[in-house]
């Protein structure tokens, strides 16, 4: 039993502690919720587009030729697509007001899934209402903590987010370097032999893109399939850029290489590039795809795709199936532009000649990333002065960098290849595109710029 | 089932040592498990009406039967798995390819146990396809299963004019085309359906700018930014706001998108009991006083993640108390108003208006356009510097495509309707009718004896059935009600 004095001391101590705590609470100052951003940051002064982002685009009031949108097949302002969307609008209205599980499944969604599965010659397809969410929800549905994923260093941001959400072990291999991947797989095999019980439950995945957004190159799929069977890993193929572009009928990189579609476990693509709609889909065997209907977060916990966008995608698929010739036209145009841009000193073209999205990189870096970005921005601005809508990905050139938990641009793994300008190619550049030219004063940038425009003018009328 | 509102019941018992009177002198009476939390008006701007929330406990026999039901289902599940493994029963599920049989199995057996054996039995209650706009009456496609829900077959018939109680179409703005939707038709014809670019590149249309200004005006804040998907709004912007070294205090029953966003950010996450301000305060005190675990350094920021109306509970967040706490402990508040924007509040402005608070007191107001506005997409609104920062740093703005133009136009049209800018009072009437209908519906269901969770003003009404097989019987019974069929969950 404590005496009166001891009790009194205890009470005082408790009170002092309490006051100390209150003081700590008063003193603590958190950081501001958001740090200030510079007022002249280009993202705050967006290029406002009025009108459809089709072949010709009106940016900030000026009409330009569009080299920046991912409208590869030019279906964005196709009258048939618009008519189909309009018919759907008249029947269903705009929104679906519910996720797929709760009366948000419309017959158009089921139709679209059927059509996509038939087009890609797989058993089943599943659609998501947002392109980014597609691969970012698909990967964590299969790969959990403790599983191993081998992913290319140049994988796009959506894949990185999917991997981060899955909490699996990530092993990066050099871009398109099959020897490096094989080395990693062999190392993993050695690890497995040390602990066979764990190896029996550890799933392995290889995540690659058909056409890499960050480099414009195609992945070597035949070698990957060989590695798959040798080391027993499953392949997840992300075909956002290659769907509707590569292959004789636009079925993507599997058709391009003539690989059986069943060899690829999951193909994911978004409908925002070639199909000129919004959303994404995954296709593959029912065994694989059906799992996502309960465990794909972006599928279960999000409202379904508005029916008018689904109807537009169905019509775009119809057009793709009826005119398989447009893919050849697109490839031809890509090759021509690629050739045309080869000879410019100061800029080099990064990307395959077949790829409709490629990058123009500075041949020699000025040494600092900010200066490179500024130089490229100047080129872009003068571009738009002359009527070409381009875009500087310098500020978003960080997209190729893997980061874990930090904001984009803080490289944790992987080398930053340097800022660049992406340009995209549309199948509909017709004969009457003329490249407007205006005389401009001399400067180092101007020399580069002059040469770009000269080359384009020479090759101007592309059929 | 534990009483989630149990925290409130204990209010009277917990020693209340808080210095300020943030309405915590609550009198609580529990009658039949219904808790009425009475607040005394400590400060003039506080919400002084009664908050009526109920989280009734189920009677004992119901709980016993529920557990029995699950237990029997599990036993039968094991039995059938055994039969399937030995080939006595045919396996209808899809299987792995022959060539990949020696790969590590894609799904662990137990992961799929619930799906195979319990979910399959009642699978036909979900994913029901419809073939008309999700208005108050809609058409459901009839589908039957010949093999106990493994596969479905459409008979081709359509059940017309089903009463819709399952879509989140609170204000009835997602309806079939009529003349007022002319502007959407025009925008569709002018702009097309897609955008094919991100916000930072060529994806910012003038429609987006118009929409963002309108949203800011609607919510009475400085600025707003819109995104193409509501789920992606949360999962891609929370990482932009907080990072390593920050603390996230998230409600127990937060939506998957908030949880994903919190996990992707890399911050430390601590969970507080659902809508329980005592639990939140304890966590806040500990966080501020003791700092980060192990290093004892101070936290960089503390972000409280709550929702306006919780979709699975039907409860409304106790916003006045949380704002008082946030002010005392200098934390930041992020409110996800997916289910409350357009649906609560006298003019549909959301939970801030419901409680009579200034929207500037909430740091980040987030919401979606899917529910009340009949479109899709999400927004984040708040002070101008917050929105500017998100314009620059949000992952969605840099890497994901922007909202489709006709969808943006539909939201503009809905906003104008609700705000009364189109010259009619139709919007206001809809909001008021929704509030009246909600209260009437809840009151009548409770009189009938059902167990309803949540606040009396929340338009999401969870009706608890408890037993899994009862769900099945309920749907069959509902279908036969007097020729008019009802669709619910």
């Amino acid at each position: 039993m404590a005496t009166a004095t001891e009790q009194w001391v205890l009470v005082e101590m408790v009170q002092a502690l309490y006051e100390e705590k209150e003081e700590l609470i008063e003193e603590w100052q958190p950081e501001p919720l958001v740090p200030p951003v510079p007022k002249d940051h280009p993202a705050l002064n967006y290029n406002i587009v009025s009108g459809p982002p089709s072949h010709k685009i009106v940016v900030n009031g000026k009409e330009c030729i569009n080299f920046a949108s991912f409208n590869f097949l030019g279906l964005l302002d196709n009258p048939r697509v618009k008519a189909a969307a309009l018919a759907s609008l008249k029947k269903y209205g705009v929104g679906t007001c519910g996720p797929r599980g709760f009366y948000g499944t419309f017959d158009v969604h089921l139709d679209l899934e059927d059509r996509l599965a038939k087009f890609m010659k797989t058993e089943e397809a599943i659609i998501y209402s947002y392109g980014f969410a597609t691969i970012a929800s698909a990967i964590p549905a299969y790969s959990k903590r403790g599983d191993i994923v081998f992913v290319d260093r140049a994988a796009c941001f959506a894949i990185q987010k999917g991997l981060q959400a899955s909490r699996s072990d990530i092993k990066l291999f050099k871009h398109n370097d099959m020897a490096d991947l094989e080395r990693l797989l062999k190392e993993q095999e050695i690890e497995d032999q040390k602990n066979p019980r764990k190896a029996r439950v550890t799933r392995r995945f290889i995540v690659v893109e058909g056409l890499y957004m960050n480099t414009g190159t195609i992945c070597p799929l035949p070698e990957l399939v060989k590695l798959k069977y040798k080391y027993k890993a499953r392949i997840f193929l992300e075909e956002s850029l290659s769907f509707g572009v590569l292959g004789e009928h636009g079925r993507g990189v599997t058709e391009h290489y003539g690989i059986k579609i069943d060899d690829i476990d999951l193909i994911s693509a978004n409908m925002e590039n070639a199909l000129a709609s919004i959303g994404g889909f995954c296709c593959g065997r029912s065994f694989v795809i059906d799992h996502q209907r309960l465990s794909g977060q972006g599928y279960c916990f999000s409202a379904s795709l508005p029916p008018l966008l689904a109807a537009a995608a169905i019509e775009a698929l119809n057009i793709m199936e009826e005119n398989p010739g447009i893919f050849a036209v697109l490839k031809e145009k890509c090759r021509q532009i690629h050739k045309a841009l080869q000879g410019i000193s100061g800029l080099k073209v990064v990307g395959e000649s077949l790829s409709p999205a490629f990058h123009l990189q500075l041949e020699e870096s000025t040494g600092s990333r900010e200066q490179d970005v500024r130089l490229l921005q100047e080129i872009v601005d003068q571009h738009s002065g002359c009527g070409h809508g381009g875009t500087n990905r310098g500020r978003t050139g960080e997209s190729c960098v893997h980061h874990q938990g930090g904001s984009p641009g803080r490289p944790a793994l992987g080398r930053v290849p340097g800022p660049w300008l992406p340009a995209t190619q549309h199948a509909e550049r017709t004969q009457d595109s003329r490249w407007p030219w205006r005389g401009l004063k001399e400067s180092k940038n101007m020399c580069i710029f002059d040469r770009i425009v000269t080359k384009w003018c020479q090759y101007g009328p592309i059929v | 089932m534990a009483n989630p509102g149990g925290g409130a019941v204990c209010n009277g018992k917990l020693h209340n040592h808080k210095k300020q009177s943030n309405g915590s002198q609550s009198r609580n009476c529990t009658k039949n498990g219904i808790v009425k939390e009475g607040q005394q008006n400590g400060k003039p701007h506080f919400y002084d009406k009664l908050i009526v929330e109920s989280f009734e406990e189920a009677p004992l026999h119901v709980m016993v039967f529920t557990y029995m039901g699950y237990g029997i289902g599990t036993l039968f599940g094991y039995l059938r798995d055994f039969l399937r493994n030995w080939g006595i029963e045919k396996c209808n599920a899809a299987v792995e390819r022959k060539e990949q049989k020696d790969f590590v199995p894609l799904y662990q057996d137990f992961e799929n146990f619930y799906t195979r054996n319990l979910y399959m039995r009642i699978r036909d209650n979900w994913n029901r396809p419809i073939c008309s706009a999700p208005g108050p009456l809609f058409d459901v496609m009839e589908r039957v299963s010949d093999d106990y829900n493994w596969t479905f077959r459409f008979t081709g018939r359509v059940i017309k004019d089903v009463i819709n109680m399952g879509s989140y179409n609170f204000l009835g703005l997602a309806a079939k085309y009529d003349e007022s939707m002319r502007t959407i038709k025009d925008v569709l014809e002018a702009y097309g359906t897609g955008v094919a670019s991100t916000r930072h590149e060529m994806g910012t249309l003038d429609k987006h700018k118009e929409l963002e200004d309108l949203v800011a005006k609607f919510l009475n804040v400085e600025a707003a930014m819109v995104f193409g998907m509501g789920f992606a709004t949360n999962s891609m912007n929370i990482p932009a706001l907080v990072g390593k070294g920050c603390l996230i205090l998230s409600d127990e029953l937060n939506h998957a998108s908030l949880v994903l966003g919190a996990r992707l950010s890399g911050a430390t996450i601590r969970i507080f009991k659902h809508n329980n301000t005592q639990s939140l305060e304890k966590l806040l005190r500990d966080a501020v006083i003791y700092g980060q675990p192990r290093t004892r350094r101070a936290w960089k920021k503390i972000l409280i993640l709550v929702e306006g109306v919780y979709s699975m509970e039907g409860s409304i967040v106790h916003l006045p108390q949380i704002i008082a706490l946030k002010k005392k402990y200098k934390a930041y508040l992020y409110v996800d108003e997916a289910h409350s924007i357009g649906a609560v509040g006298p003019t549909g402005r959301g939970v801030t208006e419901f409680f009579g608070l200034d929207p500037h007191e909430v740091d980040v107001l987030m919401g979606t356009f899917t529910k009340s506005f009949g479109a899709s997409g999400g927004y984040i609104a708040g002070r101008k510097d917050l929105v500017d920062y998100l314009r620059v740093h949000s992952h969605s703005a840099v890497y994901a495509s922007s909202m489709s133009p006709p969808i943006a136009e539909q939201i503009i049209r809905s906003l104008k309707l609700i705000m009364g800018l189109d010259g009619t009072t139709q919007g206001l009437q809809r909001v008021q009718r929704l509030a009246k209908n909600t209260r009437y519906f809840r009151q009548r269901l409770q009189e009938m004896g059902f167990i309803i969770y949540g606040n009396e003003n929340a338009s999401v009404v969870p009706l608890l059935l408890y037993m899994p097989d009862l769900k099945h019987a309920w749907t069959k019974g509902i279908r036969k009600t007097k020729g008019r069929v009802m669709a619910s969950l």
Side-chain angles (χ1 to χ4, degrees):
Chain A
M1 260 305 259
T3 64
T5 20
E6 280 168 10
Q7 276 176 340
W8 183 245
V9 167
L10 270 169
V11 165
E12 263 195 358
M13 268 173 61
V14 167
Q15 227 170 1
L17 260 171
Y18 180 72
E19 276 164 11
E20 201 178 72
K21 287 187 179 171
E22 293 298 315
E23 253 177 52
L24 280 170
I25 295 174
E26 295 248 350
E27 279 172 9
W28 179 64
Q29 280 302 332
E31 281 180 9
L33 180 60
V34 288
V37 279
K39 288 268 180 289
D40 57 350
H41 196 284
L44 291 178
N45 313 308
Y46 286 141
N47 295 322
I48 306 246
V49 174
S50 15
S54 59
H55 175 45
K56 286 222 168 59
I57 185 173
V58 178
V59 182
N60 295 331
K62 269 193 303 242
E63 191 176 291
C64 301
I65 297 178
N66 190 355
F67 270 96
S69 300
F70 288 98
N71 182 13
F72 299 143
L73 299 176
L75 292 172
L76 256 184
D77 51 350
N78 187 302
R80 272 175 64 180
V81 169
K82 285 191 195 171
L86 196 56
S88 168
L89 171 67
K90 292 210 157 107
K91 184 173 177 200
Y92 298 107
V94 180
T96 57
C97 293
R100 286 293 290 263
F102 300 163
Y103 300 102
T105 307
F106 285 43
D107 44 358
V108 247
H109 296 137
L110 299 174
D111 266 338
L112 179 57
E113 286 181 355
D114 254 337
R115 290 295 307 279
L116 282 166
K118 279 204 188 75
F119 180 76
M120 294 294 288
K121 301 208 175 114
T122 57
E123 281 177 19
E124 202 175 324
I126 178 175
I127 28 181
Y128 284 80
S129 52
Y130 205 45
F132 189 97
T134 313
I135 191 69
S137 305
I139 294 180
Y142 301 101
S143 178
K144 313 273 185 212
R145 203 191 280 266
D147 296 331
I148 304 175
V149 184
F150 300 93
V151 65
D152 193 299
R153 262 176 211 266
C156 69
F157 191 74
I159 296 182
Q160 292 174 26
K161 284 290 131 181
L163 291 171
Q164 198 183 353
S166 73
R167 300 200 186 168
S168 321
D169 292 326
I170 303 174
K171 302 210 158 61
L172 298 161
F173 60 91
K174 292 203 199 83
H175 177 54
N176 270 351
D177 188 348
M178 292 298 106
D180 201 32
L181 174 58
E182 184 146 17
R183 175 186 63 89
L184 285 172
L185 285 164
K186 273 210 182 72
E187 279 173 13
Q188 184 57 39
E189 214 181 15
I190 298 175
E191 281 288 324
D192 289 343
Q193 278 158 3
K194 289 189 198 147
N195 192 347
R197 269 185 71 192
K198 186 168 162 213
R200 246 177 291 145
V201 290
T202 312
R203 295 172 279 235
R204 274 140 257 235
F205 301 99
I206 302 177
V207 179
V208 282
E209 284 180 52
L211 198 56
Y212 285 91
M213 166 84 85
N214 291 327
T215 57
T217 48
I218 305 182
C219 75
L221 204 54
E223 284 94 17
L224 275 168
V225 172
K226 281 201 204 88
L227 284 175
K228 165 188 165 158
Y229 285 112
K230 190 168 167 198
Y231 293 97
K232 313 226 184 307
R234 295 172 202 268
I235 300 188
F236 284 179
L237 188 58
E238 218 277 327
E239 291 220 74
S240 291
L241 283 191
S242 49
F243 177 76
V245 168
L246 292 181
E248 207 185 303
H249 295 102
R251 294 201 177 96
V253 75
T254 44
E255 201 184 23
H256 179 79
Y257 282 115
I259 292 178
K260 223 168 34 147
I261 198 101
D262 274 350
D263 280 337
I264 311 291
D265 294 273
L266 179 85
I267 298 184
S268 141
N270 73 20
M271 308 195 282
E272 290 157 7
N273 301 335
L275 279 182
S277 177
I278 302 269
F281 69 92
C282 287
C283 60
R285 295 184 68 243
S286 290
F287 175 69
V288 179
I289 299 293
D290 213 39
H291 182 68
Q292 279 181 52
R293 292 199 195 270
L294 275 184
S295 47
Q297 293 217 320
Y299 181 82
C300 302
F301 296 113
S302 172
S304 49
L305 188 63
L308 66 100
L309 297 172
I314 295 179
E315 194 56 34
L317 259 183
N318 286 344
I319 296 177
M320 274 169 67
E321 284 181 343
E322 285 163 19
N323 323 338
I326 44 175
F327 306 112
V329 168
L330 176 62
K331 282 200 205 42
E332 189 48 43
K333 289 193 180 171
C334 294
R335 260 189 220 119
Q336 283 181 332
I337 282 272
H338 202 89
K339 208 165 88 174
L341 290 173
Q342 286 294 348
I344 301 175
S345 75
L347 282 182
K348 69 171 187 244
V349 186
V350 175
E352 297 249 352
S353 60
L354 292 174
S355 160
F358 52 88
H359 302 273
L360 290 166
Q361 210 177 2
L362 289 174
E363 235 165 52
E364 293 164 15
S365 165
T366 52
S368 107
R369 196 188 164 80
E370 279 78 28
Q371 267 203 300
D372 286 348
V373 171
R374 258 199 299 265
L375 179 57
L376 286 170
Q377 187 63 42
E378 254 188 79
I379 299 181
V380 168
D381 290 336
Q382 278 142 8
H383 243 285
S384 8
C386 256
H388 300 119
T391 165
N392 177 9
R393 258 215 174 172
R395 62 178 176 273
T396 58
E398 299 95 329
S399 58
C400 66
V401 172
H402 291 269
H403 59 271
Q404 306 208 327
S407 54
R410 203 167 311 149
L413 304 153
R415 208 171 50 84
V416 179
W420 47 46
L421 291 173
T424 58
Q425 197 40 261
H426 297 192
E428 281 188 352
R429 293 219 188 290
T430 57
Q431 264 179 320
D432 24 312
S433 305
R434 290 282 175 265
W435 318 91
W437 163 299
R438 273 180 226 139
L440 292 155
K441 61 178 178 6
E442 284 271 272
S443 81
K444 176 173 178 239
N445 311 335
M446 283 301 91
C447 299
I448 302 174
F449 174 68
D450 283 358
R451 261 163 259 155
I452 296 176
V453 176
T454 322
K455 292 279 180 184
W456 263 324
C457 280
Q458 278 177 1
Y459 287 87
I462 295 179
V463 176
Chain B
M1 313 285 151
N3 188 347
V9 177
C10 302
N11 253 348
K13 295 183 201 153
L14 264 182
H15 174 57
N16 206 333
H17 60 269
K18 291 197 282 272
K19 273 189 192 162
Q20 72 212 55
S21 57
N22 56 348
S24 51
Q25 296 300 323
S26 351
R27 296 171 286 112
N28 291 302
C29 52
T30 49
K31 199 170 159 192
N32 292 338
I34 299 181
V35 174
K36 282 194 164 57
E37 192 182 294
Q39 274 182 299
Q40 237 130 38
N41 213 342
K43 295 200 170 163
H45 64 279
F46 264 129
Y47 185 64
D48 53 1
K49 294 194 220 139
L50 276 178
I51 300 179
V52 179
E53 281 190 343
S54 72
F55 296 99
E56 210 179 305
E57 269 195 33
L60 183 64
H61 66 275
V62 170
M63 294 219 274
V64 168
F65 281 131
T66 311
Y67 281 122
M68 258 175 64
Y70 277 111
I72 295 175
T74 314
L75 278 174
F76 266 93
Y78 280 125
L79 176 68
R80 296 183 87 123
D81 269 351
F82 172 74
L83 293 175
R84 272 191 280 258
N85 277 340
W86 285 89
I88 303 172
E89 185 176 325
K90 193 166 65 109
C91 186
N92 285 332
V95 287
E96 179 69 274
R97 280 174 81 203
K98 243 189 5 270
E99 297 91 335
Q100 290 178 212
K101 274 269 187 276
D102 52 349
F103 281 41
V104 176
L106 191 53
Y107 315 118
Q108 283 173 343
D109 260 347
F110 192 71
E111 250 173 51
N112 269 8
F113 180 83
Y114 173 76
T115 317
R116 267 197 316 270
N117 297 307
L118 292 168
Y119 175 67
M120 271 302 167
R121 289 171 181 270
I122 47 175
R123 193 163 87 117
D124 58 333
N125 296 316
W126 287 279
N127 293 304
R128 288 230 184 93
I130 68 178
C131 47
S132 74
L137 294 172
F138 61 1
D139 305 332
V140 179
M141 290 169 73
E142 198 187 14
R143 66 177 183 175
V144 292
S145 174
D146 303 316
D147 48 1
Y148 303 105
N149 291 344
W150 285 98
T151 56
F152 291 107
R153 171 174 64 86
F154 292 106
T155 58
R157 264 205 315 257
V158 168
I159 311 174
K160 286 213 172 276
D161 288 339
V162 180
I163 298 179
N164 183 359
M165 295 200 157
S167 296
Y168 290 112
N169 187 6
F170 297 139
L171 296 176
L173 289 171
K176 229 166 75 141
Y177 183 83
D178 60 14
E179 261 323 289
S180 61
M181 293 165 84
R182 213 178 332 115
T183 44
I184 307 179
K185 175 165 162 295
D186 296 334
V187 165
L188 176 60
E189 278 165 2
Y191 289 83
T193 46
V195 185
S197 192
T198 68
R199 284 298 291 263
H200 274 200
E201 295 179 357
M202 287 290 160
T204 307
L205 306 174
D206 44 0
K207 280 284 154 214
H208 294 141
K209 186 127 186 17
E210 190 188 334
L211 176 59
E212 286 174 0
D213 291 337
L214 206 54
V215 170
K217 194 159 151 222
F218 177 70
L219 295 170
N220 214 352
V221 288
E222 285 173 29
M225 181 172 181
V226 300
F227 303 93
M229 185 197 197
F231 188 96
T233 309
N234 275 332
S235 56
M236 294 204 260
N237 288 310
I238 298 181
L241 292 175
V242 289
K244 252 185 151 75
C246 303
L247 175 67
I248 292 183
L249 296 173
S250 146
D251 189 292
E252 208 176 19
L253 300 172
N254 266 340
H255 190 256
S257 56
L258 288 167
V259 171
L260 183 62
R263 278 176 39 200
L264 285 176
S265 67
T268 313
I269 308 176
R270 293 205 182 135
I271 316 266
F272 64 92
K273 295 207 187 68
H274 177 59
N275 245 350
N276 189 333
T277 34
Q278 268 81 19
S279 168
L280 176 59
E281 181 166 25
K282 180 166 186 316
L283 285 177
L284 274 169
R285 279 186 83 81
D286 286 343
V288 175
I289 293 172
Y290 297 113
Q292 300 189 28
R294 290 195 309 271
T295 57
R296 294 289 187 227
R297 285 199 200 113
W299 292 105
K300 287 196 198 151
K301 296 183 243 205
I302 300 184
L303 184 67
I304 306 175
L305 292 182
V306 286
E307 287 189 41
V309 167
Y310 290 89
S311 52
M312 288 292 129
E313 306 294 310
S315 51
I316 299 188
V317 66
H318 296 159
L319 202 58
Q321 288 103 317
I322 295 191
I323 288 193
L325 276 180
K326 139 187 137 75
K327 282 190 185 144
K328 177 175 177 192
Y329 295 96
K330 298 182 211 109
Y332 300 111
L333 183 58
Y334 183 110
V335 178
D336 177 345
E337 294 210 78
H339 295 267
S340 54
I341 191 74
V344 297
T347 56
R349 278 1 187 220
V351 274
T352 47
E353 199 196 18
F354 181 70
F355 287 108
L357 297 167
D358 184 9
H360 293 107
E361 299 200 350
V362 179
D363 298 289
V364 189
L365 281 163
M366 177 266 169
T368 59
F369 298 117
T370 331
K371 321 284 179 338
S372 309
F373 301 96
S376 75
Y379 67 86
I380 289 203
R383 293 205 330 264
K384 189 155 187 323
D385 52 356
L386 165 76
V387 176
D388 281 344
Y389 179 81
L390 286 177
R391 280 192 212 283
V392 175
H393 286 103
S394 160
H395 301 190
S396 165
V398 180
Y399 297 109
S401 67
S402 38
M403 195 186 265
S404 162
I407 311 278
E409 182 57 34
Q410 157 75 352
I411 305 170
I412 292 175
R413 170 188 157 256
S414 308
L415 277 172
K416 285 193 177 146
L417 188 79
I418 298 179
M419 291 204 278
L421 290 178
D422 59 341
T424 65
T425 51
Q426 215 195 52
L428 193 57
Q429 280 173 3
R430 282 176 189 250
V431 176
Q432 286 168 346
R433 211 170 29 218
L434 172 69
K436 239 175 40 182
N437 286 351
T438 308
R439 276 197 290 274
Y440 177 72
F441 187 61
R442 280 177 172 265
Q443 186 198 346
R444 289 286 293 139
L445 279 177
Q446 244 160 7
E447 280 169 23
M448 283 198 224
F450 291 109
I451 297 179
I452 312 279
Y453 268 19
N455 193 304
E456 61 168 3
N457 291 303
S459 20
V460 182
V461 184
L463 193 156
L464 278 301
L465 289 173
Y466 295 105
M467 288 171 253
D469 28 318
L470 196 57
K471 173 93 189 56
H472 205 64
W474 166 274
T475 326
K476 285 213 151 54
I478 280 267
R479 288 220 193 110
K480 297 196 185 115
T481 321
K482 291 192 183 133
R484 256 304 163 82
V485 191
M486 294 218 289
S488 62
L489 298 168

